[in-house]
Amino acid sequence: MNEAATRSVIVEREIPFAPEKIWRALTQPHLIEAWLMKNDFKPVVDHRFNLSADWGGVDCRVKTVEPNRTLSYSWDTKDLESVVTWTLTPTGTGTHLRMEQVGFRTDQEPYYRGATVGWKRYLATLEEVLSRLD
């Protein structure tokens, strides 16, 4: 994949919860299902997992695991090959959460637009899930 010919979707939020709490929601399958999709995720490098929803599914492979700091995985569906990276940075009031999905080719405008809208919704739902966690 030619990285120079790709675009990224980036969503950043200040979230009033500790990185450890957010990490749980990013890595525990039942919590991932609550804000994203059904899955068989394990926070283990090279673990292959699937995300599934009514519209279809996503094939993924864990690339990076740095507990409470960074998580990345491939996000492949149909002809889209991309990588999602989560970065958690502690702040004085909680955590700065950054999600970046890289790999949208210029001829993949529908995927790019879908991700731009979709990730904002997913992160809003993630925040709702976090507010209900102990």
Side-chain angles (χ1 to χ4, degrees):
M1 180 172 31
N2 180 355
E3 295 297 327
T6 63
R7 293 190 291 173
S8 301
V9 171
I10 299 171
V11 181
E12 297 183 83
R13 300 259 173 108
E14 288 293 327
I15 298 181
F17 301 109
E20 295 79 9
K21 187 172 192 175
I22 298 168
W23 185 257
R24 285 174 43 210
L26 294 177
T27 60
Q28 293 182 5
H30 72 286
L31 296 176
I32 297 168
E33 183 174 350
W35 67 269
L36 184 60
M37 290 181 239
K38 293 179 184 173
N39 66 92
D40 55 344
F41 179 83
K42 291 180 184 167
V44 176
V45 172
D46 287 329
H47 172 69
R48 293 186 181 279
F49 66 100
N50 297 96
L51 297 167
S52 61
D54 294 341
W55 53 263
V58 181
D59 296 318
C60 305
R61 184 177 59 84
V62 178
K63 297 172 90 47
T64 306
V65 177
E66 294 179 42
N68 307 315
R69 295 182 56 192
T70 306
L71 174 67
S72 70
Y73 41 83
S74 61
W75 178 286
D76 301 338
T77 181
K78 298 178 184 169
D79 62 341
L80 173 65
E81 294 179 7
S82 64
V83 175
V84 172
T85 301
W86 298 93
T87 306
L88 292 75
T89 305
T91 65
T93 57
T95 304
H96 179 86
L97 179 64
R98 182 180 198 270
M99 186 290 312
E100 179 176 17
Q101 184 174 8
V102 300
F104 297 95
R105 294 188 321 259
T106 55
D107 65 339
Q108 295 178 314
E109 187 65 25
Y111 288 137
Y112 179 77
R113 281 195 319 265
T116 300
V117 172
W119 281 116
K120 289 176 184 170
R121 282 193 210 132
Y122 288 138
L123 264 67
T125 306
L126 171 62
E127 288 191 64
E128 291 172 18
V129 169
L130 289 166
S131 70
R132 295 192 301 265
L133 285 181
D134 292 329

